[in-house]
Amino acid sequence: MSAPHRPPGFQRQEEQATRIVRSLSLSLKVAKDRETAYSELARRHPNLQGTLPDFDSDKAQLQAILDASGAAGKLILPSSTHILTQVRDLVPRTSALSVWQLCSGFAHGRRWAADAVLKPAQSTSLPDDVIAKENRPTMRLLVWALTPAMDLIRYSLERHSELSRA
């Protein structure tokens, strides 16, 4: 069975619609993250209520933009892991997901994150059987962070060049 006939430019229209939905979904995620952060702030400072973002209003505005664009699709709240997994699939040689996970490990105070990039420089025995360890960053951290950044920049420049010629 042969592939269905598609009018010229159909593939490009499909890709454009996908980019529109993805972009607006990312904007929706930013709006949700902002609402979450501001809500915590509002619990501590109730007098800020008038300046807080309204996620439902933001979502309605983004949906109106999507509807006006003519792109078929539904706005979803993508997870950071899902986004970075897609990046990894597009640029297999990069480890953007692992760098994000490392940063998340640091943000959540996970010991494994520190062990991944720090090496013990000095240990000191203190009273009551307490051992104080001084850790120092290794070159692994720098290489681990810069390698995916360079890969993503290279990929982005190549992709920009491809799209500019199309």
Side-chain angles (χ1 to χ4, degrees), residues 61-106:
Q61 287 177 355
L62 291 168
Q63 186 63 52
I65 292 169
L66 178 62
D67 294 343
S69 76
K74 183 178 182 205
L75 295 180
I76 57 161
L77 284 169
S79 72
S80 298
T81 301
H82 177 74
I83 293 166
L84 289 165
T85 300
Q86 287 182 324
V87 169
R88 183 196 60 208
D89 293 345
L90 280 173
V91 191
R93 64 185 179 265
T94 187
S95 57
L97 179 60
S98 63
V99 171
W100 176 80
Q101 288 168 326
L102 176 68
C103 292
S104 178
F106 276 121

Short mmCIF file of all heavy atoms in Angstrom, two decimals, residues 61-106:
data_model
loop_
_atom_site.label_atom_id
_atom_site.label_comp_id
_atom_site.label_asym_id
_atom_site.label_seq_id
_atom_site.Cartn_x
_atom_site.Cartn_y
_atom_site.Cartn_z
N GLN A 61 -5.72 32.29 27.64
CA GLN A 61 -5.05 33.12 26.63
C GLN A 61 -4.20 32.28 25.69
O GLN A 61 -4.21 32.48 24.47
CB GLN A 61 -4.17 34.18 27.30
CG GLN A 61 -4.96 35.29 27.94
CD GLN A 61 -4.04 36.28 28.67
OE1 GLN A 61 -2.84 36.09 28.77
NE2 GLN A 61 -4.64 37.34 29.20
N LEU A 62 -3.46 31.32 26.23
CA LEU A 62 -2.64 30.45 25.39
C LEU A 62 -3.51 29.58 24.48
O LEU A 62 -3.16 29.35 23.32
CB LEU A 62 -1.72 29.59 26.27
CG LEU A 62 -0.62 30.36 26.99
CD1 LEU A 62 0.04 29.49 28.05
CD2 LEU A 62 0.41 30.89 26.00
N GLN A 63 -4.62 29.10 25.00
CA GLN A 63 -5.54 28.30 24.18
C GLN A 63 -6.12 29.15 23.06
O GLN A 63 -6.26 28.69 21.92
CB GLN A 63 -6.67 27.72 25.04
CG GLN A 63 -7.58 26.77 24.28
CD GLN A 63 -6.84 25.53 23.77
OE1 GLN A 63 -6.17 24.85 24.53
NE2 GLN A 63 -6.98 25.24 22.49
N ALA A 64 -6.43 30.42 23.34
CA ALA A 64 -6.94 31.32 22.30
C ALA A 64 -5.89 31.54 21.21
O ALA A 64 -6.22 31.58 20.01
CB ALA A 64 -7.36 32.66 22.92
N ILE A 65 -4.63 31.66 21.60
CA ILE A 65 -3.56 31.81 20.61
C ILE A 65 -3.47 30.55 19.76
O ILE A 65 -3.35 30.63 18.53
CB ILE A 65 -2.21 32.09 21.31
CG1 ILE A 65 -2.24 33.48 21.98
CG2 ILE A 65 -1.04 31.99 20.33
CD1 ILE A 65 -1.08 33.74 22.92
N LEU A 66 -3.55 29.39 20.41
CA LEU A 66 -3.50 28.12 19.66
C LEU A 66 -4.67 28.02 18.70
O LEU A 66 -4.49 27.68 17.52
CB LEU A 66 -3.51 26.93 20.63
CG LEU A 66 -3.51 25.54 19.98
CD1 LEU A 66 -2.24 25.34 19.15
CD2 LEU A 66 -3.62 24.46 21.04
N ASP A 67 -5.87 28.35 19.15
CA ASP A 67 -7.05 28.30 18.29
C ASP A 67 -6.91 29.24 17.10
O ASP A 67 -7.24 28.89 15.97
CB ASP A 67 -8.32 28.63 19.09
CG ASP A 67 -8.62 27.59 20.16
OD1 ASP A 67 -8.06 26.46 20.09
OD2 ASP A 67 -9.40 27.91 21.08
N ALA A 68 -6.40 30.44 17.36
CA ALA A 68 -6.24 31.43 16.29
C ALA A 68 -5.17 31.02 15.28
O ALA A 68 -5.22 31.42 14.12
CB ALA A 68 -5.90 32.80 16.88
N SER A 69 -4.20 30.20 15.72
CA SER A 69 -3.12 29.79 14.82
C SER A 69 -3.59 28.78 13.79
O SER A 69 -2.95 28.60 12.76
CB SER A 69 -1.96 29.19 15.63
OG SER A 69 -2.28 27.87 16.04
N GLY A 70 -4.69 28.10 14.08
CA GLY A 70 -5.18 27.07 13.18
C GLY A 70 -4.47 25.73 13.36
O GLY A 70 -4.78 24.77 12.67
N ALA A 71 -3.52 25.66 14.27
CA ALA A 71 -2.81 24.41 14.52
C ALA A 71 -3.68 23.50 15.38
O ALA A 71 -4.23 23.93 16.39
CB ALA A 71 -1.48 24.68 15.22
N ALA A 72 -3.83 22.27 14.94
CA ALA A 72 -4.61 21.32 15.71
C ALA A 72 -3.73 20.77 16.82
O ALA A 72 -2.55 20.50 16.61
CB ALA A 72 -5.09 20.18 14.82
N GLY A 73 -4.26 20.64 17.98
CA GLY A 73 -3.49 20.08 19.08
C GLY A 73 -4.07 20.53 20.41
O GLY A 73 -5.00 21.34 20.46
N LYS A 74 -3.53 19.95 21.46
CA LYS A 74 -4.01 20.25 22.80
C LYS A 74 -2.83 20.70 23.64
O LYS A 74 -1.75 20.12 23.58
CB LYS A 74 -4.64 18.99 23.40
CG LYS A 74 -5.22 19.20 24.76
CD LYS A 74 -5.87 17.94 25.28
CE LYS A 74 -6.48 18.28 26.64
NZ LYS A 74 -6.61 17.17 27.50
N LEU A 75 -3.04 21.73 24.43
CA LEU A 75 -2.00 22.20 25.33
C LEU A 75 -1.88 21.22 26.50
O LEU A 75 -2.88 20.83 27.10
CB LEU A 75 -2.32 23.59 25.86
CG LEU A 75 -2.33 24.72 24.84
CD1 LEU A 75 -2.67 26.04 25.51
CD2 LEU A 75 -1.01 24.82 24.12
N ILE A 76 -0.65 20.83 26.78
CA ILE A 76 -0.38 19.94 27.91
C ILE A 76 0.74 20.55 28.73
O ILE A 76 1.50 21.37 28.24
CB ILE A 76 0.04 18.53 27.44
CG1 ILE A 76 1.27 18.63 26.55
CG2 ILE A 76 -1.09 17.80 26.76
CD1 ILE A 76 2.03 17.34 26.40
N LEU A 77 0.82 20.15 29.97
CA LEU A 77 1.91 20.59 30.83
C LEU A 77 3.04 19.55 30.73
O LEU A 77 2.96 18.50 31.35
CB LEU A 77 1.45 20.69 32.29
CG LEU A 77 0.60 21.90 32.64
CD1 LEU A 77 -0.01 21.76 34.02
CD2 LEU A 77 1.43 23.16 32.56
N PRO A 78 4.06 19.83 29.93
CA PRO A 78 5.14 18.85 29.81
C PRO A 78 6.02 18.85 31.06
O PRO A 78 6.18 19.87 31.70
CB PRO A 78 5.92 19.35 28.59
CG PRO A 78 5.69 20.82 28.57
CD PRO A 78 4.29 21.03 29.12
N SER A 79 6.56 17.69 31.37
CA SER A 79 7.50 17.62 32.50
C SER A 79 8.90 17.91 31.99
O SER A 79 9.21 17.71 30.82
CB SER A 79 7.46 16.22 33.14
OG SER A 79 8.09 15.28 32.29
N SER A 80 9.74 18.38 32.88
CA SER A 80 11.12 18.66 32.50
C SER A 80 11.82 17.39 32.04
O SER A 80 12.59 17.40 31.08
CB SER A 80 11.88 19.27 33.68
OG SER A 80 11.30 20.50 34.04
N THR A 81 11.54 16.28 32.70
CA THR A 81 12.16 15.01 32.29
C THR A 81 11.73 14.64 30.88
O THR A 81 12.55 14.22 30.07
CB THR A 81 11.78 13.89 33.28
OG1 THR A 81 12.22 14.26 34.59
CG2 THR A 81 12.41 12.57 32.89
N HIS A 82 10.46 14.83 30.57
CA HIS A 82 9.96 14.52 29.22
C HIS A 82 10.65 15.41 28.18
O HIS A 82 11.09 14.93 27.13
CB HIS A 82 8.44 14.71 29.16
CG HIS A 82 7.85 14.50 27.82
ND1 HIS A 82 7.70 13.25 27.26
CD2 HIS A 82 7.42 15.37 26.89
CE1 HIS A 82 7.19 13.37 26.04
NE2 HIS A 82 7.00 14.65 25.80
N ILE A 83 10.76 16.68 28.47
CA ILE A 83 11.41 17.62 27.54
C ILE A 83 12.86 17.22 27.31
O ILE A 83 13.33 17.14 26.17
CB ILE A 83 11.33 19.06 28.07
CG1 ILE A 83 9.88 19.56 28.06
CG2 ILE A 83 12.22 20.00 27.25
CD1 ILE A 83 9.66 20.82 28.88
N LEU A 84 13.59 16.95 28.39
CA LEU A 84 15.00 16.62 28.27
C LEU A 84 15.22 15.25 27.64
O LEU A 84 16.23 15.02 26.97
CB LEU A 84 15.69 16.73 29.61
CG LEU A 84 15.83 18.18 30.08
CD1 LEU A 84 16.18 18.24 31.55
CD2 LEU A 84 16.84 18.93 29.24
N THR A 85 14.28 14.34 27.81
CA THR A 85 14.36 13.05 27.12
C THR A 85 14.21 13.26 25.63
O THR A 85 14.93 12.63 24.83
CB THR A 85 13.30 12.08 27.66
OG1 THR A 85 13.51 11.89 29.06
CG2 THR A 85 13.35 10.74 26.96
N GLN A 86 13.32 14.16 25.22
CA GLN A 86 13.17 14.47 23.80
C GLN A 86 14.44 15.11 23.26
O GLN A 86 14.85 14.82 22.14
CB GLN A 86 11.96 15.37 23.57
CG GLN A 86 10.64 14.66 23.73
CD GLN A 86 9.47 15.58 23.44
OE1 GLN A 86 9.49 16.76 23.75
NE2 GLN A 86 8.44 15.01 22.84
N VAL A 87 15.06 15.98 24.04
CA VAL A 87 16.33 16.59 23.62
C VAL A 87 17.37 15.50 23.43
O VAL A 87 18.08 15.47 22.43
CB VAL A 87 16.82 17.64 24.64
CG1 VAL A 87 18.25 18.08 24.34
CG2 VAL A 87 15.89 18.84 24.65
N ARG A 88 17.44 14.59 24.38
CA ARG A 88 18.41 13.49 24.27
C ARG A 88 18.16 12.65 23.03
O ARG A 88 19.08 12.23 22.35
CB ARG A 88 18.34 12.60 25.52
CG ARG A 88 19.38 11.48 25.51
CD ARG A 88 19.08 10.40 26.52
NE ARG A 88 17.80 9.82 26.22
CZ ARG A 88 17.02 9.27 27.14
NH1 ARG A 88 17.38 9.23 28.39
NH2 ARG A 88 15.86 8.75 26.81
N ASP A 89 16.89 12.42 22.70
CA ASP A 89 16.56 11.65 21.51
C ASP A 89 16.95 12.39 20.23
O ASP A 89 17.34 11.78 19.25
CB ASP A 89 15.07 11.30 21.49
CG ASP A 89 14.69 10.33 22.62
OD1 ASP A 89 15.61 9.72 23.23
OD2 ASP A 89 13.49 10.21 22.90
N LEU A 90 16.83 13.72 20.25
CA LEU A 90 17.23 14.53 19.09
C LEU A 90 18.75 14.64 18.97
O LEU A 90 19.30 14.66 17.88
CB LEU A 90 16.66 15.95 19.21
CG LEU A 90 15.20 16.14 18.83
CD1 LEU A 90 14.76 17.56 19.17
CD2 LEU A 90 14.99 15.87 17.35
N VAL A 91 19.40 14.75 20.09
CA VAL A 91 20.86 14.93 20.12
C VAL A 91 21.43 13.82 21.01
O VAL A 91 21.78 14.06 22.16
CB VAL A 91 21.24 16.32 20.67
CG1 VAL A 91 22.71 16.62 20.44
CG2 VAL A 91 20.38 17.42 20.06
N PRO A 92 21.52 12.60 20.47
CA PRO A 92 21.88 11.46 21.31
C PRO A 92 23.23 11.58 22.00
O PRO A 92 23.45 11.00 23.05
CB PRO A 92 21.91 10.28 20.33
CG PRO A 92 21.18 10.73 19.12
CD PRO A 92 21.26 12.22 19.09
N ARG A 93 24.14 12.36 21.46
CA ARG A 93 25.47 12.44 22.06
C ARG A 93 25.50 13.35 23.29
O ARG A 93 26.50 13.44 23.97
CB ARG A 93 26.50 12.90 21.03
CG ARG A 93 26.27 14.30 20.51
CD ARG A 93 27.26 14.65 19.40
NE ARG A 93 27.00 15.97 18.91
CZ ARG A 93 26.27 16.25 17.86
NH1 ARG A 93 25.72 15.29 17.16
NH2 ARG A 93 26.07 17.49 17.47
N THR A 94 24.41 14.02 23.58
CA THR A 94 24.41 14.94 24.72
C THR A 94 23.84 14.25 25.96
O THR A 94 23.09 13.29 25.87
CB THR A 94 23.62 16.21 24.42
OG1 THR A 94 23.79 17.11 25.51
CG2 THR A 94 22.14 15.96 24.26
N SER A 95 24.23 14.75 27.10
CA SER A 95 23.72 14.21 28.36
C SER A 95 22.97 15.29 29.13
O SER A 95 23.10 15.42 30.34
CB SER A 95 24.88 13.65 29.20
OG SER A 95 25.84 14.67 29.43
N ALA A 96 22.16 16.08 28.41
CA ALA A 96 21.42 17.17 29.05
C ALA A 96 20.54 16.65 30.18
O ALA A 96 20.42 17.30 31.22
CB ALA A 96 20.58 17.92 28.01
N LEU A 97 19.96 15.47 29.99
CA LEU A 97 19.11 14.91 31.04
C LEU A 97 19.92 14.62 32.30
O LEU A 97 19.50 14.97 33.41
CB LEU A 97 18.41 13.64 30.54
CG LEU A 97 17.51 12.93 31.54
CD1 LEU A 97 16.37 13.83 32.00
CD2 LEU A 97 16.96 11.64 30.95
N SER A 98 21.11 14.04 32.15
CA SER A 98 21.90 13.72 33.34
C SER A 98 22.40 14.98 34.03
O SER A 98 22.49 15.03 35.26
CB SER A 98 23.06 12.79 33.00
OG SER A 98 23.95 13.40 32.11
N VAL A 99 22.72 16.03 33.26
CA VAL A 99 23.15 17.28 33.88
C VAL A 99 21.99 17.89 34.67
O VAL A 99 22.15 18.35 35.80
CB VAL A 99 23.68 18.28 32.83
CG1 VAL A 99 23.92 19.65 33.45
CG2 VAL A 99 24.97 17.74 32.22
N TRP A 100 20.79 17.86 34.08
CA TRP A 100 19.61 18.36 34.79
C TRP A 100 19.36 17.54 36.05
O TRP A 100 19.07 18.09 37.12
CB TRP A 100 18.38 18.33 33.87
CG TRP A 100 17.13 18.74 34.57
CD1 TRP A 100 16.71 20.01 34.84
CD2 TRP A 100 16.13 17.88 35.11
NE1 TRP A 100 15.51 19.99 35.51
CE2 TRP A 100 15.13 18.69 35.69
CE3 TRP A 100 15.96 16.50 35.15
CZ2 TRP A 100 14.01 18.17 36.29
CZ3 TRP A 100 14.84 15.98 35.77
CH2 TRP A 100 13.88 16.82 36.33
N GLN A 101 19.50 16.21 35.95
CA GLN A 101 19.30 15.36 37.12
C GLN A 101 20.35 15.66 38.20
O GLN A 101 20.03 15.67 39.39
CB GLN A 101 19.34 13.88 36.71
CG GLN A 101 18.11 13.47 35.93
CD GLN A 101 18.24 12.12 35.28
OE1 GLN A 101 19.31 11.71 34.85
NE2 GLN A 101 17.12 11.40 35.19
N LEU A 102 21.59 15.93 37.77
CA LEU A 102 22.63 16.29 38.73
C LEU A 102 22.25 17.59 39.46
O LEU A 102 22.33 17.67 40.68
CB LEU A 102 23.97 16.46 38.03
CG LEU A 102 25.13 16.92 38.91
CD1 LEU A 102 25.50 15.84 39.93
CD2 LEU A 102 26.32 17.30 38.06
N CYS A 103 21.83 18.59 38.68
CA CYS A 103 21.43 19.87 39.30
C CYS A 103 20.24 19.67 40.22
O CYS A 103 20.17 20.26 41.31
CB CYS A 103 21.11 20.90 38.21
SG CYS A 103 22.56 21.40 37.28
N SER A 104 19.31 18.83 39.83
CA SER A 104 18.16 18.52 40.68
C SER A 104 18.63 17.83 41.95
O SER A 104 18.13 18.12 43.05
CB SER A 104 17.18 17.62 39.92
OG SER A 104 16.09 17.27 40.74
N GLY A 105 19.60 16.92 41.81
CA GLY A 105 20.16 16.25 42.99
C GLY A 105 20.76 17.24 43.96
O GLY A 105 20.56 17.15 45.17
N PHE A 106 21.50 18.24 43.42
CA PHE A 106 22.06 19.28 44.27
C PHE A 106 20.95 20.09 44.93
O PHE A 106 21.00 20.38 46.12
CB PHE A 106 22.96 20.23 43.48
CG PHE A 106 24.36 19.74 43.32
CD1 PHE A 106 24.89 19.53 42.06
CD2 PHE A 106 25.16 19.50 44.42
CE1 PHE A 106 26.19 19.09 41.90
CE2 PHE A 106 26.47 19.06 44.28
CZ PHE A 106 26.98 18.85 43.01
#
